[in-house]
Amino acid sequence: MPDTVPQHVREIQAIAAVPRVLETVATMTGLGFVCIAHVTDTTWTTCAVHDELGFGLRAGDPLDVTTTLCEEVRATRQPIVIDSVRDSDSYRDHHTPRLYGFQSYFSIPIFRPDGDYFGTLCGLDPEPAALSEGATMSALTLFAELISRQLETDRSLRDTRSDLLSERETAELREQFIAVLGHDLRTPLSAILTGAELLKRRSTDPATDKIVERVRSSAMRMAGLVDNVVDFTRGRMGSGLALELCQSADVHLMLDQVVDELRGVYPDRVIRSDIARDIALRSDPQRLAQLLSNLLKNALLHGDSGEPIHVDARVDGASFVLAVSNAGPDLSQAVIDQLFKPYWRATSRAGDEGLGLGLYIVDQIARGHDGAIGVTSTDGRITFTFSMPAA
């Protein structure tokens, strides 16, 4: 991006999720133009845009702030939502709708976490739209909060990367880095998941349900990535992978929950499970659930989408054995040798945007239980098998 682009535009452009957020908002509302704008008392600047109307604005383009309703949003710090300009007593004769030719419009304020005003998430369309409904307003507010939190997270991460250049502060920055990921990301993710569940309960629109489920699925995937990065960071920086070993007689309940959750996230995939009852182990059940979750996500990502995934868990003699298998092209020994290395990613599926830490964490959890993880790949079937002492 050219150096002449303002910093606030760079901040928004650096958030990888922004294009998907704008696309989702446009789909959810039916509006042809959605953007994020930085707004001051004298300026209005486009930071990111989804434009199906040919409006012509690009990132970095300005508008005269006095011609926009965002000026009013900044002054009052309250959203403006218009379902139909011609039916609105407040905006029927307003100059802005006439100037830009819209009938439906929304502008939701975006604040930095410290309370400073950043700008707005806004959209418009030449046709009326039902924007003021409770579910739609809740979703728009949630997206604005997500952008706000991400701005702070990115700022924190940039600061952390800069500080890490100083060897003298490595120990302190280790904890700061984990805190950024563990708190600054988990907190907004929790809000997104909670909001998605609330919207799902209140919605009676199948189209909205589909969008909400996509938001929920993406947030759950992000939460898993955060967990993997935190675990990896702790392991590489000396804290080690934290395990809380205890004697438990209901490990199967935690494993069943993982399978059920991923069935919900991937309703079009078939996951068949044969998990024995009353599995008693001295283990960390949460970590075993994380191990299964990472193996299942790996199978869902790389396996044949038309074939079922099999999960088997049982006590076999003196060992507990957990296996996850999926159909797919046979793996070469060279690939198998790389699978559990950090940041290594297979190329079996285009668009894989994972961090390449899932199987590395699986291996670390296995080692923490005095166990092992192995892979077999023959006749178009790939099986990951974890085993540990049962006693």
Side-chain angles (χ1 to χ4, degrees):
M1 187 177 294
D3 292 337
T4 56
V5 174
Q7 177 60 31
H8 46 260
V9 177
R10 292 175 178 271
E11 288 183 277
I12 295 297
Q13 290 287 310
I15 302 174
V18 161
R20 179 62 62 86
V21 167
L22 296 183
E23 178 185 359
T24 301
V25 171
T27 302
M28 177 182 67
T29 60
L31 303 190
F33 179 88
V34 180
C35 79
I36 297 170
H38 180 261
V39 183
T40 71
D41 57 348
T42 59
T43 65
W44 188 105
T45 308
T46 309
C47 295
V49 62
H50 178 88
D51 185 7
E52 297 177 4
L53 300 178
F55 206 69
L57 286 177
R58 296 176 298 177
D61 287 347
L63 287 178
D64 182 350
V65 71
T66 63
T67 68
T68 73
L69 294 181
C70 295
E71 182 183 42
E72 181 177 338
V73 173
R74 185 181 189 279
T76 64
R77 297 202 164 200
Q78 295 297 318
I80 293 177
V81 179
I82 308 171
D83 292 348
S84 173
V85 170
R86 67 175 64 98
D87 296 327
S88 170
D89 293 336
S90 299
Y91 297 99
R92 183 185 300 116
D93 299 319
H94 198 283
H95 66 277
T96 296
R98 290 199 305 271
L99 178 63
Y100 295 107
F102 62 77
Q103 280 296 313
S104 52
Y105 173 90
F106 72 84
S107 182
I108 310 296
I110 298 173
F111 302 95
R112 296 186 184 275
D114 61 5
D116 286 347
Y117 189 86
F118 177 86
T120 66
L121 170 65
C122 56
L124 57 83
D125 196 90
E127 298 297 328
L131 302 176
S132 58
E133 296 177 351
T136 301
M137 281 297 299
S138 295
L140 292 174
T141 302
L142 189 64
F143 282 125
E145 181 181 349
L146 171 61
I147 294 165
S148 170
R149 294 285 186 173
Q150 193 64 48
L151 281 169
E152 176 61 15
T153 297
D154 284 2
R155 184 200 63 78
S156 298
L157 288 173
R158 285 195 303 272
D159 291 346
T160 299
R161 293 190 192 102
S162 175
D163 290 341
L164 281 171
L165 295 177
S166 171
E167 185 177 354
R168 293 174 300 174
E169 299 178 354
T170 297
E172 177 184 352
L173 292 173
R174 173 185 62 200
E175 299 305 324
Q176 291 179 356
F177 182 67
I178 294 173
V180 166
L181 292 171
H183 180 269
D184 289 353
L185 288 180
R186 282 191 178 118
T187 299
L189 281 174
S190 177
I192 293 169
L193 285 168
T194 301
E197 291 293 339
L198 182 61
L199 289 173
K200 188 173 182 180
R201 292 194 191 103
R202 293 182 176 180
S203 174
T204 59
D205 177 16
T208 300
D209 289 344
K210 187 175 182 180
I211 294 169
V212 170
E213 185 57 39
R214 185 166 68 177
V215 171
R216 177 176 172 271
S217 299
S218 297
M220 289 186 66
R221 179 173 178 272
M222 291 169 66
L225 292 175
V226 170
D227 289 340
N228 285 342
V229 171
V230 170
D231 287 337
F232 173 76
T233 304
R234 285 174 174 160
R236 283 302 176 99
M237 290 188 171
S239 299
L241 194 65
L243 271 71
E244 297 182 7
L245 300 177
C246 63
Q247 190 65 33
S248 176
D250 56 2
V251 173
H252 66 281
L253 296 178
M254 194 71 70
L255 301 180
D256 284 335
Q257 182 180 348
V258 171
V259 174
D260 289 341
E261 285 179 354
L262 287 173
R263 280 173 175 156
V265 175
Y266 297 88
D268 297 331
R269 302 294 294 275
V270 176
I271 304 175
R272 295 176 180 167
S273 65
D274 183 8
I275 299 174
R277 304 297 90 184
D278 302 322
I279 298 175
L281 298 172
R282 177 169 175 75
S283 65
D284 184 331
Q286 293 285 350
R287 288 296 188 183
L288 291 185
Q290 183 182 7
L291 179 146
L292 174 57
S293 178
N294 284 359
L295 289 179
L296 262 179
K297 290 173 183 175
N298 181 74
L300 288 162
L301 178 64
H302 298 289
D304 186 336
S305 61
E307 296 292 329
I309 295 169
H310 295 271
V311 178
D312 296 283
R314 65 191 183 282
V315 174
D316 185 3
S319 298
F320 167 69
V321 180
L322 170 65
V324 176
S325 65
N326 60 268
D330 290 343
L331 303 178
S332 68
Q333 188 58 47
V335 169
I336 291 175
D337 291 342
Q338 301 294 320
L339 286 175
F340 300 104
K341 294 182 179 179
Y343 298 120
W344 188 87
R345 297 183 297 176
T347 56
S348 60
R349 176 168 297 183
D352 176 14
E353 298 177 355
L355 295 174
L357 292 176
L359 292 180
Y360 170 80
I361 299 300
V362 165
D363 182 62
Q364 295 301 299
I365 294 173
R367 293 171 185 268
H369 285 85
D370 293 326
I373 183 77
V375 186
T376 60
S377 177
T378 56
D379 300 326
R381 192 127 201 113
I382 302 163
T383 302
F384 287 79
T385 303
F386 162 67
S387 61
M388 62 169 283

